Amino acid sequence: NVDPTVKSITIEQTLIDFGRGAEYAKSKIGIDLAKAKFLKKEQDILYSAIDAFTLLILAREKLSINKRNLNLLIKQVETDKVRLDRGQITTADLYQSESSLAGARAQLTQSKSELMINKLNYENIIGKLSDPSKLKKSSESIVSLPNSLSKAIEISKKNNPDIKIAKLELNQSEKDLSISEADLNPTASVSLER
C-alpha cells in the first residue's frame, strides 16, 4: 500500500537578528509622524478660517469707509458747483472735486468686489453666511499669549508641527539606516522539519 501524499511541518525560530527591533521602532515613529501631520493639517485649516474671517471683516470695514467717503465727496462736488456759480472757485477746482468723486466711486466698486470675494472665500472655508455685517470684530484673544518673545519662541519650537515632522522624519531615516545595516549583519535561526 503506497501513500502518495507527503506531509511536512517546519518550525523556525530566529535566535539572533540585529534589525528586527528597528522595523518596529520605525513603524512607531510612522504613527507619531502621521499624528504630527494631522495636527499640522488642523492648524492649517484653523489658520485659513482665521484668515478668511479677518479678511471678510477688513473688506466690510473698507466698504463702510468708502461709502462714507463717497457721500462726503458727493456733498463736496455739490458745494463746489454752488461756489463756482458764486465765483469763489475756478472750474479747475470743480473738475478736481469731480475727479476725486470718480475715484471714490471706483474705490467703492472695488470694495464691493473685495467684500464679495472675501465672503465667498469665508463660505468656502467656514460655511454659509447670509449677512457679513453680523460678524463681530473683536481684538480680544481667545487663547493666552506668552509674556515675552523668548517664551513665544520656546513654545513655538516645542509645538511647531513642522519641526516635529522634520524630527520624526529624521528618526525614520535613522531607523532606515539601522535596518540597512542590519541586513548586512549575520542572523542565526533554528529550524526543525518533519
Side-chain angles (χ1 to χ4, degrees):
N1 186 8
V2 177
D3 186 7
T5 55
V6 176
K7 296 176 186 171
S8 71
I9 194 167
T10 304
I11 300 173
E12 289 190 18
Q13 175 65 48
T14 302
L15 299 175
I16 300 172
D17 185 353
F18 294 101
R20 187 176 255 181
E23 288 281 349
Y24 176 72
K26 181 183 173 195
S27 296
K28 282 180 68 175
I29 293 169
I31 292 170
D32 292 339
L33 180 61
K35 288 177 183 177
K37 286 182 177 180
F38 180 73
L39 177 65
K40 177 171 176 26
K41 187 52 102 174
E42 280 182 331
Q43 287 187 353
D44 289 345
I45 291 169
L46 182 60
Y47 173 77
S48 295
I50 291 168
D51 193 45
F53 176 82
T54 54
L55 287 175
L56 182 55
I57 289 193
L58 175 65
R60 182 186 72 193
E61 296 299 315
K62 276 177 148 181
L63 180 64
S64 175
I65 290 168
N66 285 326
K67 281 180 180 178
R68 288 194 303 265
N69 189 34
L70 180 66
N71 290 334
L72 287 173
L73 287 171
I74 288 171
K75 290 176 185 174
Q76 178 68 42
V77 168
E78 290 170 359
T79 304
D80 284 352
K81 285 180 181 178
V82 170
R83 290 177 67 206
L84 179 66
D85 290 341
R86 292 183 182 164
Q88 295 175 334
I89 62 169
T90 65
T91 54
D93 294 327
L94 177 62
Y95 292 153
Q96 179 65 39
S97 295
E98 288 175 343
S99 174
S100 296
L101 177 60
R105 284 188 174 127
Q107 284 183 335
L108 181 66
T109 301
Q110 182 178 356
S111 295
K112 288 178 180 178
S113 296
E114 286 177 7
L115 181 67
M116 181 57 68
I117 289 167
N118 286 304
K119 180 180 181 283
L120 293 172
N121 188 40
Y122 178 95
E123 289 177 345
N124 185 41
I125 294 170
I126 296 173
K128 190 78 174 143
L129 177 68
S130 59
D131 185 7
S133 65
K134 292 187 179 179
L135 289 179
K136 294 182 182 179
K137 70 176 185 178
S138 172
S139 59
E140 293 181 28
S141 176
I142 59 172
V143 295
S144 61
L145 297 174
N147 297 334
S148 67
L149 177 62
S150 60
K151 184 68 175 169
I153 291 171
E154 177 188 329
I155 290 170
S156 69
K157 284 181 179 178
K158 181 178 152 192
N159 296 331
N160 187 322
D162 288 328
I163 293 173
K164 286 181 179 180
I165 289 168
K167 285 179 181 178
L168 290 168
E169 286 176 343
L170 174 65
N171 288 344
Q172 263 193 333
S173 296
E174 288 171 348
K175 293 302 175 195
D176 282 336
L177 182 62
S178 296
I179 292 166
S180 295
E181 287 174 350
D183 287 342
L184 300 173
N185 289 336
T187 59
S189 61
V190 174
S191 64
L192 172 66
E193 190 173 324
R194 286 192 165 193

mmCIF file of all heavy atoms in Angstrom, residues 34-53:
data_model
loop_
_atom_site.group_PDB
_atom_site.id
_atom_site.type_symbol
_atom_site.label_atom_id
_atom_site.label_comp_id
_atom_site.label_asym_id
_atom_site.label_seq_id
_atom_site.Cartn_x
_atom_site.Cartn_y
_atom_site.Cartn_z
ATOM 1 N N ALA A 34 2.422 60.477 11.452
ATOM 2 C CA ALA A 34 1.056 60.681 10.940
ATOM 3 C C ALA A 34 0.260 61.595 11.867
ATOM 4 O O ALA A 34 -0.485 62.469 11.400
ATOM 5 C CB ALA A 34 0.357 59.336 10.771
ATOM 6 N N LYS A 35 0.428 61.437 13.178
ATOM 7 C CA LYS A 35 -0.257 62.305 14.143
ATOM 8 C C LYS A 35 0.216 63.748 13.996
ATOM 9 O O LYS A 35 -0.595 64.681 14.050
ATOM 10 C CB LYS A 35 -0.021 61.815 15.571
ATOM 11 C CG LYS A 35 -0.770 60.544 15.919
ATOM 12 C CD LYS A 35 -0.433 60.090 17.329
ATOM 13 C CE LYS A 35 -1.106 58.779 17.678
ATOM 14 N NZ LYS A 35 -0.716 58.305 19.013
ATOM 15 N N ALA A 36 1.504 63.945 13.824
ATOM 16 C CA ALA A 36 2.054 65.300 13.666
ATOM 17 C C ALA A 36 1.553 65.940 12.372
ATOM 18 O O ALA A 36 1.227 67.132 12.348
ATOM 19 C CB ALA A 36 3.583 65.259 13.691
ATOM 20 N N LYS A 37 1.468 65.161 11.302
ATOM 21 C CA LYS A 37 0.954 65.698 10.034
ATOM 22 C C LYS A 37 -0.527 66.051 10.156
ATOM 23 O O LYS A 37 -0.990 67.041 9.590
ATOM 24 C CB LYS A 37 1.183 64.704 8.898
ATOM 25 C CG LYS A 37 2.635 64.634 8.463
ATOM 26 C CD LYS A 37 2.837 63.671 7.311
ATOM 27 C CE LYS A 37 4.296 63.674 6.862
ATOM 28 N NZ LYS A 37 4.527 62.759 5.740
ATOM 29 N N PHE A 38 -1.264 65.255 10.909
ATOM 30 C CA PHE A 38 -2.675 65.543 11.157
ATOM 31 C C PHE A 38 -2.818 66.853 11.937
ATOM 32 O O PHE A 38 -3.652 67.699 11.602
ATOM 33 C CB PHE A 38 -3.326 64.388 11.918
ATOM 34 C CG PHE A 38 -4.779 64.600 12.225
ATOM 35 C CD1 PHE A 38 -5.725 64.519 11.223
ATOM 36 C CD2 PHE A 38 -5.196 64.882 13.510
ATOM 37 C CE1 PHE A 38 -7.069 64.716 11.482
ATOM 38 C CE2 PHE A 38 -6.540 65.079 13.786
ATOM 39 C CZ PHE A 38 -7.478 64.996 12.781
ATOM 40 N N LEU A 39 -1.992 67.043 12.962
ATOM 41 C CA LEU A 39 -2.008 68.271 13.743
ATOM 42 C C LEU A 39 -1.676 69.475 12.868
ATOM 43 O O LEU A 39 -2.312 70.526 12.966
ATOM 44 C CB LEU A 39 -1.009 68.176 14.906
ATOM 45 C CG LEU A 39 -0.865 69.430 15.765
ATOM 46 C CD1 LEU A 39 -2.164 69.741 16.495
ATOM 47 C CD2 LEU A 39 0.276 69.256 16.751
ATOM 48 N N LYS A 40 -0.702 69.312 11.987
ATOM 49 C CA LYS A 40 -0.338 70.407 11.077
ATOM 50 C C LYS A 40 -1.516 70.755 10.175
ATOM 51 O O LYS A 40 -1.811 71.925 9.946
ATOM 52 C CB LYS A 40 0.879 70.041 10.238
ATOM 53 C CG LYS A 40 1.228 71.144 9.239
ATOM 54 C CD LYS A 40 2.527 70.919 8.563
ATOM 55 C CE LYS A 40 2.855 71.926 7.508
ATOM 56 N NZ LYS A 40 2.302 73.236 7.594
ATOM 57 N N LYS A 41 -2.206 69.750 9.655
ATOM 58 C CA LYS A 41 -3.357 69.999 8.789
ATOM 59 C C LYS A 41 -4.452 70.730 9.562
ATOM 60 O O LYS A 41 -5.068 71.660 9.049
ATOM 61 C CB LYS A 41 -3.881 68.670 8.230
ATOM 62 C CG LYS A 41 -4.959 68.830 7.202
ATOM 63 C CD LYS A 41 -4.582 69.774 6.102
ATOM 64 C CE LYS A 41 -4.181 69.089 4.861
ATOM 65 N NZ LYS A 41 -3.953 70.014 3.743
ATOM 66 N N GLU A 42 -4.683 70.324 10.807
ATOM 67 C CA GLU A 42 -5.666 71.017 11.639
ATOM 68 C C GLU A 42 -5.299 72.491 11.803
ATOM 69 O O GLU A 42 -6.143 73.377 11.678
ATOM 70 C CB GLU A 42 -5.744 70.375 13.028
ATOM 71 C CG GLU A 42 -6.559 69.131 13.105
ATOM 72 C CD GLU A 42 -6.614 68.581 14.522
ATOM 73 O OE1 GLU A 42 -5.656 68.785 15.312
ATOM 74 O OE2 GLU A 42 -7.620 67.938 14.860
ATOM 75 N N GLN A 43 -4.005 72.749 12.082
ATOM 76 C CA GLN A 43 -3.558 74.128 12.262
ATOM 77 C C GLN A 43 -3.669 74.924 10.964
ATOM 78 O O GLN A 43 -4.022 76.105 10.986
ATOM 79 C CB GLN A 43 -2.131 74.164 12.793
ATOM 80 C CG GLN A 43 -2.043 73.757 14.247
ATOM 81 C CD GLN A 43 -0.655 73.948 14.827
ATOM 82 O OE1 GLN A 43 0.299 74.265 14.132
ATOM 83 N NE2 GLN A 43 -0.545 73.753 16.130
ATOM 84 N N ASP A 44 -3.382 74.293 9.840
ATOM 85 C CA ASP A 44 -3.520 74.977 8.549
ATOM 86 C C ASP A 44 -4.978 75.370 8.293
ATOM 87 O O ASP A 44 -5.256 76.474 7.815
ATOM 88 C CB ASP A 44 -3.017 74.087 7.401
ATOM 89 C CG ASP A 44 -1.510 73.927 7.389
ATOM 90 O OD1 ASP A 44 -0.813 74.717 8.068
ATOM 91 O OD2 ASP A 44 -1.028 73.009 6.693
ATOM 92 N N ILE A 45 -5.895 74.476 8.620
ATOM 93 C CA ILE A 45 -7.320 74.764 8.427
ATOM 94 C C ILE A 45 -7.761 75.878 9.374
ATOM 95 O O ILE A 45 -8.490 76.799 8.971
ATOM 96 C CB ILE A 45 -8.164 73.485 8.622
ATOM 97 C CG1 ILE A 45 -7.892 72.504 7.474
ATOM 98 C CG2 ILE A 45 -9.652 73.811 8.731
ATOM 99 C CD1 ILE A 45 -8.455 71.129 7.673
ATOM 100 N N LEU A 46 -7.308 75.825 10.627
ATOM 101 C CA LEU A 46 -7.649 76.870 11.580
ATOM 102 C C LEU A 46 -7.100 78.219 11.123
ATOM 103 O O LEU A 46 -7.799 79.238 11.177
ATOM 104 C CB LEU A 46 -7.099 76.517 12.963
ATOM 105 C CG LEU A 46 -7.410 77.509 14.080
ATOM 106 C CD1 LEU A 46 -8.907 77.663 14.275
ATOM 107 C CD2 LEU A 46 -6.747 77.062 15.375
ATOM 108 N N TYR A 47 -5.877 78.221 10.629
ATOM 109 C CA TYR A 47 -5.287 79.463 10.118
ATOM 110 C C TYR A 47 -6.104 79.998 8.933
ATOM 111 O O TYR A 47 -6.376 81.194 8.854
ATOM 112 C CB TYR A 47 -3.839 79.255 9.700
ATOM 113 C CG TYR A 47 -3.252 80.466 9.024
ATOM 114 C CD1 TYR A 47 -2.857 81.576 9.760
ATOM 115 C CD2 TYR A 47 -3.145 80.532 7.636
ATOM 116 C CE1 TYR A 47 -2.365 82.707 9.142
ATOM 117 C CE2 TYR A 47 -2.653 81.662 7.010
ATOM 118 C CZ TYR A 47 -2.260 82.746 7.767
ATOM 119 O OH TYR A 47 -1.783 83.868 7.147
ATOM 120 N N SER A 48 -6.507 79.116 8.036
ATOM 121 C CA SER A 48 -7.315 79.538 6.882
ATOM 122 C C SER A 48 -8.644 80.138 7.337
ATOM 123 O O SER A 48 -9.108 81.132 6.762
ATOM 124 C CB SER A 48 -7.582 78.356 5.950
ATOM 125 O OG SER A 48 -6.389 77.897 5.390
ATOM 126 N N ALA A 49 -9.244 79.551 8.358
ATOM 127 C CA ALA A 49 -10.516 80.066 8.878
ATOM 128 C C ALA A 49 -10.322 81.448 9.498
ATOM 129 O O ALA A 49 -11.123 82.365 9.263
ATOM 130 C CB ALA A 49 -11.101 79.099 9.904
ATOM 131 N N ILE A 50 -9.256 81.612 10.274
ATOM 132 C CA ILE A 50 -8.981 82.916 10.890
ATOM 133 C C ILE A 50 -8.696 83.951 9.813
ATOM 134 O O ILE A 50 -9.189 85.086 9.872
ATOM 135 C CB ILE A 50 -7.795 82.799 11.875
ATOM 136 C CG1 ILE A 50 -8.200 81.961 13.086
ATOM 137 C CG2 ILE A 50 -7.301 84.173 12.309
ATOM 138 C CD1 ILE A 50 -7.043 81.545 13.962
ATOM 139 N N ASP A 51 -7.929 83.575 8.818
ATOM 140 C CA ASP A 51 -7.596 84.478 7.716
ATOM 141 C C ASP A 51 -8.857 84.891 6.962
ATOM 142 O O ASP A 51 -9.063 86.077 6.672
ATOM 143 C CB ASP A 51 -6.593 83.800 6.780
ATOM 144 C CG ASP A 51 -5.963 84.760 5.799
ATOM 145 O OD1 ASP A 51 -5.565 85.871 6.219
ATOM 146 O OD2 ASP A 51 -5.864 84.405 4.608
ATOM 147 N N ALA A 52 -9.724 83.942 6.666
ATOM 148 C CA ALA A 52 -10.972 84.241 5.945
ATOM 149 C C ALA A 52 -11.851 85.174 6.773
ATOM 150 O O ALA A 52 -12.434 86.130 6.251
ATOM 151 C CB ALA A 52 -11.716 82.953 5.608
ATOM 152 N N PHE A 53 -11.938 84.915 8.062
ATOM 153 C CA PHE A 53 -12.746 85.739 8.966
ATOM 154 C C PHE A 53 -12.225 87.172 9.012
ATOM 155 O O PHE A 53 -12.983 88.135 8.828
ATOM 156 C CB PHE A 53 -12.736 85.109 10.368
ATOM 157 C CG PHE A 53 -13.464 85.909 11.411
ATOM 158 C CD1 PHE A 53 -14.835 85.825 11.532
ATOM 159 C CD2 PHE A 53 -12.762 86.734 12.280
ATOM 160 C CE1 PHE A 53 -15.509 86.558 12.496
ATOM 161 C CE2 PHE A 53 -13.429 87.475 13.241
ATOM 162 C CZ PHE A 53 -14.805 87.390 13.353
#
